[in-house]
Amino acid sequence: MSEPKTPVPTPAGDTYKGWVFKWTNYIKGYQRRWFVLSNGLLSYYRTQAEMGHTCRGTINLATATITVDDACNFVISNGGAQTYHLKASCEVERQRWITALELAKAKAARMQAESDDSGDDFPSSSPPAAPGQGGGSQNSEVQSALRTLGSKVEDLSTCNDLISKHGSALQRSLSELDSLRLTGEAGDKIRQVTERATLFRITSNAMINACRDFLALAQAHSKRLQKALQAERDQRVRLEETLEQLAKQHNHLERAFRGASQSNATADNKSASGPGKGEGSDEDDDNEFFDAMEEAPEFITVPADPHFHKRSSSNISGFNSEMCPDDQSLNEEPLAMNQESPSQELVPLKKRRTRISDKPNYSLNLWSIMKNCIGKELSKIPMPVNFNEPISMLQRLSEDLEYHELLDKASKCQSSLEQMCYVAAFSVSSYSTTVHRTGKPFNPLLGETYELDRRRESGYRSLCEQVSHHPPAAAHHVISDRGWTLRQEITVASKFRGKYLSIMPLGTIHAIFEKGNNHYTWKKVTTTVHNIIVGKLWIDQSGEIDVVNHTTGDRCHLKFAPYSYFSRDVARKVTGVVMDKDGKAHYVLSGTWDEKMEFSRVMQSSLGGENGTEGKQKTVYQTLKAREVWRRNPLPEGADTMYYFTSLALTLNEYEEGISPTDSRHRPDQRLMEEGRWDEGNSEKQRLEEKQRIVRREREREAASQRTASQSEEAVDEDSLTDPSLKSAPHDSHLALWFDRCEDQITGEQVHIYKGGYWEAKDRGIWEGCPDIY
């Protein structure tokens, strides 16, 4: 017997992965790429993390040729359309890849030939399956496995015939050499080679026979395996049915429990209860990339000496020598917001819902609807509910309060610069709920309202009203018992450009704090929805936000970096600097709008580093250790089937007693969609829109009778589509019910500001003057 040789490593199973250098171009040369060989296809990615969403190229080995250049290089080509010039790290690694590729190519070619040959015979060879059981599929899988084993044995038999043929020829040649009557060492060598050749042929025959026995054994036990598989399948079906019954019973018991709890709470409003927590609040880049080159950062941050602040003030230019008491408060644990309890009786908090109906899987021809919408204002296009999520734009606006605790903490800050950090983090946090939310909120009807009363749980009350229809505008007002007020009027302008949809919120957000009378303003950035027609939808935020404290002159400049294929930074990155009125930096903010934000105290700033894109020097900030100011709450369980709603969003459309008749919770088309009745929801949506058109035409006729012919509403409405200056003017005689139109004293804009009366009307239960919009 000869000594066994070390076999060449071969891939396990049908998949082989690894790093290989691929030729890219004459500038970059060979670049390291991650290659995956599976099911006869060779694909490559820039990194392993891209395997889930971005494949850079794929080649089918069934029709490809594999050639070896030298010890480490090899080439894969499919006839000119695709050619990969690859280089392994060493000769052994190259041989492993060649072996794996040759085996995969042979298997792919053989399966392709079998598919072509047996395509017509397959239906007759497969026995009919019982309805709902899939027996035919299982039998086909077993038969396919047996055919594969048979083909393997046939391959081995072919190899055996070749070995026998070549072995016989070798033995004849050895016999001819032996007939020359060579003596001495040469004769001994020839006899030794003859013996080894005979032994090799015997071993190969034994291997072939063992494979035939294995095939026979597999065929003999196939029926037993089929019965076992069918038994497991039947048991799984029974378990699924049992689980479904248990889920229905659990849902029934939960509803009964909620009903009993509500009735008990009504009967005993003064029962004692411990203070409960406020309601819990809760993120690929597929096929679409920005082609813009990577932008250089506006500044550079480097860690400073942690004991830097203990030194005496130096003469270094740009050093923040003033030390404010906010250093200590920033390093403390998060403030407990529920320490201060109002002097009122404690009542049990309402239990909010944690689930809504799962989103139905309705197919829709997107292009048939969107092809006529290119270049138009999206708010003026009648869209089916299939594109929506079951909340209105007013509720979506109220969802900005997901992280209201940031404003609670800001209201307790001693320093306005520290307070700015929390306000800036709040301005970023509102985008964290959009990362998976590709659905479009319902456009509110004119006069529609939405209240979010979380005074007992979180200390705030929120009210929204749709104050204009063209352009669509919503006014929002929030008052908190913890020392802050938030108000905004948002007009959404959107344009559909074929491959992507741009959503531009217009309007200013105001945050006013009682402590220090600090008044902050900022605007929202542009939201872009990519892959509208083809590919998986994904959302990006881009632009800049200036958060300004009009009381002290402090300012925070935030930059939302758009996604770029060429950027090495993390996706969805946000950076910012908090400066005082003199332009001196005090804090640096960094993070992502979908995950978290951190802040760092600036100890020293100077000009240095590489020149920027316009020849300007970047500012270098030396900072203390970064601390987290905000982190996104996790999504509830099963959020992927519930429109990726957060815990707060799941409760927004939950029906409540005593709300205004114009509240979004009463909207029938939105309620039908939430319940999964989309066809009825579409019919109801058309009815509501037509009713709104009739009311608007009547209102325009009344307004036109009071104006001259040159100032008719139709002319204003047409001009407003092309003249942006007319968009701020009211287009009809509609007057908001709960908001007054006036000029903002801070920004000079014409806005709607809450005039009061809503919560008093709710307490009385009298809703006089509310329009009939549903």
Side-chain angles (χ1 to χ4, degrees), residues 505-573:
L506 308 176
T508 304
I509 305 173
H510 298 254
I512 304 100
F513 294 89
E514 295 178 4
K515 189 175 184 179
N517 197 28
N518 291 320
H519 190 142
Y520 298 85
T521 64
W522 68 92
K523 295 179 180 291
K524 289 180 175 286
V525 296
T526 299
T527 299
T528 306
V529 184
H530 296 270
N531 294 348
I532 295 294
I533 300 299
V534 178
K536 182 179 179 181
L537 293 175
W538 62 279
I539 292 178
D540 194 24
Q541 314 286 348
S542 59
E544 298 180 358
I545 292 179
D546 279 315
V547 185
V548 181
N549 185 343
H550 295 274
T551 303
T552 63
D554 302 337
R555 180 182 299 267
C556 177
H557 181 73
L558 293 170
K559 182 176 182 180
F560 289 66
Y563 179 81
S564 173
Y565 173 81
F566 300 98
S567 177
R568 294 186 179 91
D569 285 333
V570 295
R572 310 179 180 95
K573 184 177 181 180

Side-chain angles (χ1 to χ4, degrees), residues 295-302 544-545 556-561 569 573-579 585-591 597-602 604-613 616-623:
E295 294 186 10
E298 295 181 349
F299 56 85
I300 302 173
T301 59
V302 296
E544 298 180 358
I545 292 179
C556 177
H557 181 73
L558 293 170
K559 182 176 182 180
F560 289 66
D569 285 333
K573 184 177 181 180
V574 180
T575 56
V577 180
V578 176
M579 296 175 289
H586 290 260
Y587 293 99
V588 171
L589 294 168
S590 63
M597 289 295 293
E598 297 177 338
F599 63 90
S600 305
R601 173 86 184 194
V602 176
Q604 179 179 349
S605 61
S606 60
L607 293 178
E610 300 177 359
N611 289 339
T613 55
K616 299 179 181 179
Q617 286 185 308
K618 304 172 188 174
T619 304
V620 179
Y621 296 117
Q622 291 188 7
T623 62

Side-chain angles (χ1 to χ4, degrees), residues 268-281:
D268 189 8
N269 288 331
K270 296 184 179 181
S271 59
S273 173
K277 295 181 180 180
E279 63 180 28
S281 35

